[in-house]
Structure formats: structure tokens, C-alpha cells
Amino acid sequence: MLGTSLIGRCARGAGAATLFCAALLVADAAHAARHGRSHAAKRAASHAATPALDAQAIDNAQFSAPSGKGRSRDASAATIIKEEILLDRADFSPGEIDGVAGSNDKKALAAFQQANGLKPTGLLDAETWNRLTATSSEPALMEYEIQPADVKGPFNKTIPQSFEKKAELKTLNYTNPRELLAAKFHVAPALLTRLNPKASFETAGTKIVVPNVASKPTHDRVAEVVVDKKALTVRALDADGKLISFYPASVGSSDRPSPSGTWHVRSIVEDPTYHYSPKLKFKGVKTQKPFDIAAGPLNPVGTTWIGLGDDYGIHGTPNPESIGRTQSHGCVHLTNWDAQALAKMIHRGTKVEFIN
């Protein structure tokens, strides 16, 4: 996780023209670190307290209704993983699939419930489980053979915290094949390892078990994107106001809030290069000269930039585990895969409404 409060611009050459766009990072390093550790601790405790997982256990997982209202406290990791995969497959993203019933999971559940005429509690119940499992008959997990391209690289040994040090790198790629594969299948690296405890992620031809979310149909009928600054969510709607896709998000802080009102998509950039200008006076950046940070999935704006004008945008992040748990300097963070999915469904001129 990045350790300084930063806001910047990204640029990408397009023939003779150059595209400039705003970017953002974590607004409060202490806040981000505290919440990141808390979530990681919950995830580790959950994984330590449950038995080994395999494809059959997750595919056969069921929901046991609690004696009272709300979600059963003893919902198994297998049930939660299956739920997260089904939500992701139905275009209600829980963010990073991690097997933990966290805030993003609850937001996605609430959105699914509302879209299906159920009370949007964000808590798993029998009716929600039945509706969710009815959305797909495919197995929750699938076997995947690691491809040569997955292990070929190039990979970065490490990604430095300093922006000046980042600018010295030719690329900001993943640091190993496991990290690449985790992003490819929307899963936390630790959970990917837990699903494949004996697998070598470094070897092409190795067969591993992964969430069955990689091949999803996309559509281009999004008429409006709604960013809820209070709920920390992004919704894609069609012309009739019907919810098409849902994503958890990180948005601006009280010091540097996200904008309000109606905006429109001005640009969509894949694999953006990050451009730093000294006039922005980033905390922790000492140089008085402009510099670029190369494109790559661990670039400060991730793999996708959706520009809205006036240095605001919706973009990816090198830290998918931070989504919904950190604040920004005004832009909107999504996981890289969610930002990519949204970018494929919109176009220049698509309406973006900021509410709350």
C-alpha cells in the first residue's frame, strides 16, 4: 500500500497528441495502513479457522439459515467464496474475492438484493442465496492450465514506495506469476495459494483451481454511471435506469472530496502512463522536475483511466485490497478488472453522476 498522500496527472502519447489526465492515491497513509492491517488480520484469522478448501467443497457449499435475522455467523469460507464468485459473475462485483464477509461483499449483496426485488440488507439469507445460486449453473471454480504468457514476464522484483524511484523503472508489472494470476481471476493472492497449496505458479503447464469469473460477456448499453460518495459504490445503468453492473469503490476524502453533480466521460485510456508535475507539490516528492511513471498494472492509476475533466477520473489501482477501505484525493478507485470492465461498456459522452 502506498505510504504518502498524493495526487497527480497521467499522460499517454497518442500519435502527435498527448493525453493528460488526473490521478490519485491514498489520502491518509495511517488510515489506509490501519484498515489494511485490520482486513488482512480478519482474512488470515478466517483462513486459519477453517478447513482446507477444494473445488468440490466450494461448488457444493450451501447457506445455512441462522436462527434469527441476518447472516449466519458461522457461514463457511466455502459458502462465502461461492457467494463472491456468483456475485462477480452476475456483474455485482465484491471487489477482490477473498473468502471474507467484508464491507465490499455486503455492498454487492445489497445491490443484488435491490436489483432482484429483495430488501437490500447486505446480509445473506435463504431467499438471497436461492436467487444468487439460480443465476448460474456453472461450477464456482474451474481448472486452469498456467500458460507460458503467465510466467514469461517481465516481472518487477519489487515496486518502490517513492514516486521518484518508480519513475526509474521501465515498467510497473506484477512482481510474480501468482500476483498476475490472482488479478486475472479476481482473487486475493493468499486465497489463490490456499486453493492450490501444492502448486507451482511459476511453471507453465501446471493445472490450478481458480474462480470461474474470467470469461464474462460485456455490453455497451450503459447510459449513465452513478458514483455514490457516501456508500462508496459505482453503478452502471441502462437507458431505463436498470442496474447493469455494480462495483465497490474508494472516493475522495473530506479534505479533497470527489466532485458533485453531472459529468461526462471525456477520455478512456488503457495502460496509461503517469505524469508528475512539480506544481502539484506531492508530499514526499522532493524533485522540482516533472517525470513520468511507466505504464503497467502496478502503475499508480492501474491499467485503465476514464477521464472526466478538471483532473477527475475513474481508474484502476495497484492495490485491489484497498478498495472501499481507503480515501482518495477526489478521483474514484476501482479494482483494475472492474475499471477495465466499466471502460468496455461506456464511451465518450457517457453521463457520470456524483451523488451524496
Side-chain angles (χ1 to χ4, degrees):
M1 189 171 294
L2 299 170
T4 54
S5 301
L6 299 173
I7 179 171
R9 297 174 182 268
C10 64
R12 184 191 184 190
T18 302
L19 174 65
F20 290 94
C21 49
L24 58 92
L25 295 176
V26 179
D28 185 336
H31 173 89
R34 182 168 61 251
H35 283 260
R37 286 194 299 269
S38 175
H39 182 69
K42 289 180 182 178
R43 182 158 56 190
S46 174
H47 290 177
T50 52
L53 292 171
D54 57 35
Q56 185 175 4
I58 293 171
D59 286 331
N60 293 337
Q62 296 297 324
F63 172 75
S64 298
S67 56
K69 295 182 178 180
R71 183 177 196 152
S72 175
R73 289 186 176 182
D74 59 354
S76 69
T79 297
I80 297 171
I81 293 168
K82 183 175 180 178
E83 171 216 294
E84 290 180 316
I85 293 171
L86 289 171
L87 284 169
D88 185 293
R89 190 185 297 165
D91 291 326
F92 293 84
S93 173
E96 191 178 57
I97 296 168
D98 58 9
V100 177
S103 59
N104 290 339
D105 171 74
K106 293 178 181 178
K107 293 173 189 176
L109 268 176
F112 177 83
Q113 289 167 330
Q114 186 172 34
N116 284 272
L118 304 175
K119 185 177 180 179
T121 63
L123 302 173
L124 189 60
D125 54 41
E127 188 172 7
T128 302
W129 179 256
N130 291 337
R131 293 284 186 93
L132 190 56
T133 54
T135 61
S136 176
S137 60
E138 294 185 16
L141 297 178
M142 68 179 187
E143 185 179 81
Y144 176 77
E145 183 175 319
I146 297 177
Q147 300 297 303
D150 296 327
V151 299
K152 182 180 180 180
F155 296 102
N156 288 80
K157 291 184 178 180
T158 60
I159 301 295
Q161 294 290 329
S162 164
F163 260 35
E164 291 98 327
K165 292 294 183 182
K166 283 184 171 71
E168 296 175 4
L169 302 177
K170 293 183 179 180
T171 60
L172 277 89
N173 291 320
Y174 296 110
T175 58
N176 54 60
R178 185 187 74 147
E179 194 173 32
L180 180 151
L181 290 164
K184 190 172 187 176
F185 295 102
H186 312 175
V187 62
L191 180 55
L192 181 62
T193 295
R194 188 171 177 222
L195 292 171
N196 302 277
K198 298 181 180 180
S200 170
F201 300 108
E202 312 284 336
T203 306
T206 300
K207 293 181 179 180
I208 59 175
V209 174
V210 298
N212 187 8
V213 298
S215 299
K216 296 197 303 178
T218 58
H219 31 72
D220 57 0
R221 55 192 178 93
V222 171
E224 180 180 3
V225 176
V226 178
V227 180
D228 190 321
K229 297 187 290 183
K230 183 177 180 179
L232 305 180
T233 63
V234 171
R235 297 170 183 257
L237 312 176
D238 67 12
D240 296 323
K242 181 181 178 181
L243 181 62
I244 294 174
S245 293
F246 167 90
Y247 313 103
S250 293
V251 300
S253 65
S254 57
D255 292 334
R256 289 185 177 271
S258 295
S260 298
T262 302
W263 297 68
H264 294 86
V265 173
R266 293 190 178 184
S267 62
I268 301 172
V269 184
E270 294 297 328
D271 297 320
T273 296
Y274 189 93
H275 177 74
Y276 175 76
S277 174
K279 68 180 182 180
L280 297 170
K281 298 180 179 179
F282 281 7
K283 181 180 179 181
V285 178
K286 299 178 180 180
T287 183
Q288 296 301 310
K289 296 181 180 180
F291 58 82
D292 291 340
I293 297 178
L298 301 189
N299 177 288
V301 291
T303 58
T304 306
W305 169 263
I306 301 170
L308 305 178
D310 291 348
D311 294 345
Y312 291 114
I314 302 171
H315 64 78
T317 175
N319 304 301
E321 73 282 357
S322 71
I323 294 299
R325 302 182 178 94
T326 58
Q327 295 176 316
S328 77
H329 270 170
C331 292
V332 180
H333 280 184
L334 304 177
T335 65
N336 278 342
W337 52 88
D338 286 343
Q340 289 170 343
L342 179 61
K344 291 178 181 177
M345 297 188 292
I346 60 176
H347 52 79
R348 290 187 56 153
T350 297
K351 180 181 176 182
V352 179
E353 190 79 20
F354 286 81
I355 63 174
N356 292 330

